[in-house]
Amino acid sequence: MLPTPSLRDALYGFGICIAALLVAAIFFWLLADLAWQGVGRLDWTFLTTPPRNAGRDGGLAPILVSTSLIILVAMSVAAPLGVATAIFLSEFTPAGGRLARWMSLSLDVLAGTPSIVFGLFGGAFFCVFLGLGFSILSGGLTLACMALPILIRTVESGLRSSPIEWRLGAAALDLSRATLLWHVLLPAAAPSLAAGLSLGIGRAVAETAALIFTSGYVDRMPSSLFDSGRALSVHIYDLTMNVSGGDANAYASALVLIAFLIAANSLAFWFSNRIFGRRMARA
Amino acid sequence: MTLSNRSSSSRSRRDTRLVAAVATAALGSSAIFVLIVGFLLKESWPALSTIGPARFLFDPAWRPTEGLFGLAPMLSASLAASVGAVILATPLGVASAIFCRHYAPPPIGWIHRWSMALLSGVPSVVIGLWGLTAIVPLIGRFEPPGASLLAGILILTVMITPTIALMSGAALDSLPDAYGRGAVALGLSREATLAHVLLPAARGGVAAGILLAAARALGETMAIVMVSGNVVQAPLSLFDPVRMLTANIALEMAYATGSHRASLFVSGLMLTALVIALAAAAWRLSGDHCHG
């Protein structure tokens, strides 16, 4: 006999709550483990001294520098390219046109490509074909390719969301497309650019597989963009897999990585809100 | 105003230059994927032409230095781990999405949603580190050595549950309010409303989320390298150490040369094709792939 509706209702709710509780429990287990095992090593010296003894002791200084340089290279290539592409897709292609459709499809497919494939490509193209070798530049350019789709999508949706009245008003004032973009649409889309950048940085900081074969393993302080530099995520991987007794520092580095991710996200969103708020107040 | 002083011919020239610049940039960014596939093909061509595609599937083993290029054990390990993770993550993710919207009091639902978003952003190398130090020893206590297909499945589950939860949640949110209200007006219970009205209506979005999660699981590399043991063999039991297709690339690329290196590019090509087929199916299901 089937259970009565009210019993079924209760069982269903019970199942849902148990499943959700399980997911939350796993999340807090992960978080607590990270905090518990990482926080002991974490202090100012850890952030400012170079690693010693293959990373078992010492800190992260050159690794933080390399990571920041890789991100900087990635974003300074991806941001202009991404904004220009977003402008083209939202302003200069007829809606639903064939060109726009093919471009969007190519970007969506790029967004879904696995990171190890980016690693293979970056190693073959930037390191060997362009002759950049294992360098911060190769790593940054590979990450720029990875972060581009999400950046474009976010800026594009920001541009598309500006009200049609602004375009009509600009047309009535006989403004050029360039003026309309520069003085009206782009400032209005600034929050979406900040959000896109923060998402792109998040994707880039979290990346490991694409960096192993492009920016390399060397944990010395980089002296130029053509030096190999070890990113934070690669450092965690190396400490866990190749260095016995490196777990404590790996956990501390993981905590730094997570803190960096959360900080990048909150900063970008705070920033974008501020711009947005000021614009709205002025309007 | 300075703007009105400019002659209209210089203005239209400026517009032309702007269009040319952004069009070039757009062509450049859309060409990246073509470039990637082109380079994968170029680098894998020596293997595809001399070894032939069939041997990658039917060779009995993976010993590239001895001329055996069978990717089947790694392909089956990848598929087994992804399917296993999807089977575990689907109920957890969908239940989480329902919990946030229909069962939890608002603050708890909000916290749960927030932690899903955070969990989906945790880098794979961090999840791998945690898997290696928390999950693997736990499995090893019952069935040594611990680094196994099961560890891979569990770690992938942790990684893709948020994807399914967030996508199903978005699909539930996009349903018209009238569905829920209509069900209440008909006197349906909460279970009946969810199971027979809301979930069927949102099934396109939920299925798309599951497919995208599967694509993410197949493409995942670092966490899998760290927990699944990396022995090349077909997965016969949950406790066997296995090596996935992605892990194989990450582990051998550093020293591979010649046809060994080319065959790693072949596996990269195979992986890209699989992941994109899944993503394409997801777009078709969710029906929101009509940009422009």
Side-chain angles (χ1 to χ4, degrees):
Chain A
M1 205 181 93
L2 283 170
T4 60
S6 67
L7 179 64
R8 222 163 55 194
D9 203 30
L11 280 175
Y12 194 79
F14 182 71
I16 296 231
C17 292
I18 288 290
L21 197 68
L22 186 64
V23 175
I26 292 170
F27 176 66
F28 284 107
W29 182 13
L30 170 69
L31 219 57
D33 241 11
L34 277 176
W36 185 254
Q37 304 199 41
V39 88
R41 291 259 176 150
L42 209 55
D43 53 18
W44 187 244
T45 12
F46 184 70
L47 296 178
T48 52
T49 53
R52 280 180 290 111
N53 193 9
R56 290 184 193 89
D57 306 307
L60 287 178
I63 286 140
L64 291 178
V65 172
S66 301
T67 310
S68 320
L69 286 176
I70 292 171
I71 302 294
L72 204 67
V73 170
M75 288 306 131
S76 44
V77 173
L81 198 59
V83 171
T85 306
I87 290 175
F88 183 75
L89 284 176
S90 71
E91 303 299 312
F92 295 107
T93 50
R98 189 181 286 171
L99 183 64
R101 267 218 317 274
W102 278 107
M103 283 184 167
S104 300
L105 182 67
S106 151
L107 289 172
D108 285 344
V109 168
L110 189 65
T113 305
S115 59
I116 186 78
V117 173
F118 278 97
L120 280 175
F121 163 73
F125 184 65
F126 296 116
C127 299
V128 179
F129 187 75
L130 295 185
L132 298 173
F134 280 143
S135 64
I136 288 175
L137 205 55
S138 303
L141 291 173
T142 309
L143 288 190
C145 298
M146 281 189 83
L148 204 53
I150 193 153
L151 195 67
I152 294 173
R153 282 279 166 260
T154 331
V155 177
E156 191 192 343
S157 72
L159 284 171
R160 278 188 202 282
S161 69
S162 55
I164 184 78
E165 285 80 9
W166 296 1
R167 292 161 208 270
L168 294 179
L173 290 170
D174 193 26
L175 297 184
S176 69
R177 303 289 287 270
T179 314
L180 168 69
L181 264 171
W182 190 249
H183 291 283
V184 181
L185 298 181
L186 279 182
S192 71
L193 174 61
L197 276 179
S198 90
L199 289 172
I201 291 177
R203 179 132 199 227
V205 171
E207 191 42 54
T208 316
L211 287 177
I212 292 181
F213 307 121
T214 51
S215 64
Y217 269 97
V218 175
D219 62 355
R220 282 190 303 275
M221 185 66 88
S223 54
S224 84
L225 291 183
F226 294 97
D227 275 5
S228 168
R230 184 190 283 194
L232 194 51
S233 51
V234 176
H235 187 58
I236 298 171
Y237 172 67
D238 193 51
L239 282 182
T240 322
M241 293 297 284
N242 304 333
V243 179
S244 61
D247 282 357
N249 266 5
Y251 264 105
S253 311
L255 212 54
V256 173
L257 184 60
I258 301 255
F260 192 91
L261 274 173
I262 293 176
N265 274 306
S266 341
L267 203 71
F269 278 104
W270 174 78
F271 190 60
S272 68
N273 278 336
R274 218 171 68 114
I275 297 173
F276 199 58
R278 199 194 289 158
R279 268 198 57 82
M280 289 300 104
R282 214 195 285 150
Chain B
M1 245 177 93
T2 51
L3 292 171
S4 51
N5 292 338
R6 286 196 189 124
S7 70
S8 70
S9 75
S10 88
R11 215 182 55 195
S12 71
R13 244 198 337 262
R14 239 173 99 211
D15 269 7
T16 321
R17 275 210 304 272
L18 174 77
V19 175
V22 295
T24 316
L27 280 176
S29 11
S30 358
I32 291 177
F33 182 71
V34 182
L35 197 65
I36 290 181
V37 172
F39 255 85
L40 287 183
L41 278 172
K42 171 181 170 286
E43 299 286 334
S44 55
W45 188 247
L48 284 176
S49 58
T50 58
I51 301 168
R55 282 190 52 201
F56 286 104
L57 290 178
F58 301 118
D59 264 8
W62 171 256
R63 280 188 227 110
T65 44
E66 298 167 24
L68 289 175
F69 296 95
L71 292 172
M74 290 173 278
L75 195 59
S76 54
S78 275
L79 292 177
S82 305
V83 169
V86 166
I87 290 173
L88 287 181
T90 301
L92 290 177
V94 175
S96 285
I98 296 175
F99 173 78
C100 292
R101 281 157 190 82
H102 298 279
Y103 285 91
I108 293 186
W110 189 85
I111 292 175
H112 197 274
R113 247 190 264 199
W114 175 81
S115 45
M116 283 296 104
L118 197 63
L119 187 58
S120 75
V122 175
S124 62
V125 68
V126 173
I127 303 233
L129 165 66
W130 176 70
L132 188 64
T133 51
I135 302 283
V136 168
L138 204 64
I139 298 175
R141 209 178 293 167
F142 301 102
E143 197 82 31
S148 56
L149 178 65
L150 180 63
I153 290 177
L154 293 177
I155 281 305
L156 285 179
T157 305
V158 174
M159 300 186 73
I160 66 176
T161 299
T163 312
I164 297 180
L166 294 171
M167 290 278 294
S168 316
L172 283 174
D173 280 343
S174 70
L175 296 179
D177 280 348
Y179 288 14
R181 289 209 210 105
V184 171
L186 287 172
L188 293 185
S189 67
R190 193 147 60 165
E191 177 262 340
T193 308
L194 281 165
H196 301 297
V197 179
L198 297 182
L199 278 179
R203 67 178 182 276
V206 173
I210 293 169
L211 285 175
L212 283 182
R216 186 174 176 197
L218 262 183
E220 176 47 45
T221 311
M222 296 330 282
I224 278 303
V225 171
M226 293 161 95
V227 301
S228 61
N230 298 324
V231 178
V232 184
Q233 58 177 345
L236 296 176
S237 110
L238 276 176
F239 299 103
D240 280 348
V242 291
R243 180 188 287 193
M244 323 288 171
L245 212 50
T246 47
N248 188 47
I249 302 176
L251 290 166
E252 299 192 350
M253 196 55 206
Y255 60 87
T257 51
S259 56
H260 181 191
R261 180 168 182 276
S263 56
L264 290 180
F265 275 89
V266 171
S267 56
L269 213 53
M270 207 186 258
L271 199 65
T272 313
L274 273 174
V275 166
I276 285 171
L278 281 173
W283 293 326
R284 185 147 297 190
L285 272 173
S286 66
D288 66 352
H289 192 247
C290 41
H291 306 288

